[in-house]
Amino acid sequence: MIGTWRWNVGFGAVGGMMSLLFSMSGNTFAVSCVRGIYAFAVFFLLAFLFRAILRIVAMPQPSVPALHLDEQDGGYEAGSKFEAVIPDESDQLHEMLKSSPDGRPAAPNAEAAQTNQFQPLKPPQLVSTQNKDPEELAKAVRHLTGG
């Protein structure tokens, strides 16, 4: 624990005295003293909690132990080293990049290349107000607005 119990008593005394002085103006002396004692207990416990948290935060972190060298495992303790070898797949990657997105080989001529270009989607118009009866449109608007 950081510090001593005297810090708790000092913090509790300051809190109790402040509570006593502030409550004197609106209460009797006995009620103010009881509230001062309660405040002393609460501030005493808060100081204890604060010191405990401060100790946890200020505690030095344990150092990481050094690896034990072992001749059997190439100089490292078992499970302390991970080796991964990734096979060379650059040829397959180049072939995939040369092919079109749908998996077919890339088109050798310009005509076939133009067919693979982006074309925006043209959805059909779902609702049209052309050739509608004005009374029917007004009825629909009244229904939607709740009027």
Side-chain angles (χ1 to χ4, degrees):
M1 194 69 60
I2 294 178
T4 63
W5 59 272
R6 292 181 187 136
W7 282 102
N8 293 26
V9 171
F11 195 66
V14 168
M17 286 300 219
M18 286 177 53
S19 177
L20 178 73
L21 292 176
F22 287 132
S23 67
M24 287 280 281
S25 63
N27 298 310
T28 62
F29 182 71
V31 171
S32 297
C33 286
V34 169
R35 290 185 180 172
I37 291 170
Y38 289 154
F40 173 82
V42 168
F43 277 90
F44 182 88
L45 293 175
L46 283 175
F48 180 76
L49 180 67
F50 178 73
R51 285 180 42 220
I53 291 172
L54 190 62
R55 178 178 181 209
I56 291 170
V57 170
M59 187 180 355
Q61 299 295 327
S63 63
V64 177
L67 293 175
H68 299 291
L69 298 178
D70 190 8
E71 296 301 324
Q72 295 174 347
D73 297 323
Y76 292 98
E77 188 176 85
S80 65
K81 186 176 179 182
F82 176 73
E83 260 185 58
V85 178
I86 300 172
D88 185 25
E89 298 176 347
S90 60
D91 295 335
Q92 291 177 352
L93 179 63
H94 290 298
E95 289 299 320
M96 285 176 40
L97 290 174
K98 288 179 185 177
S99 67
S100 64
D102 58 357
R104 292 180 294 168
N109 56 15
E111 291 176 14
Q114 287 180 354
T115 60
N116 290 338
Q117 288 184 350
F118 173 76
Q119 295 177 358
L121 183 62
K122 298 175 187 170
Q125 188 174 7
L126 299 177
V127 177
S128 173
T129 57
Q130 296 173 356
N131 301 328
K132 294 285 183 179
D133 183 28
E135 290 182 23
E136 189 178 325
L137 290 174
K139 193 185 298 183
V141 169
R142 283 189 206 108
H143 176 71
L144 291 174
T145 58

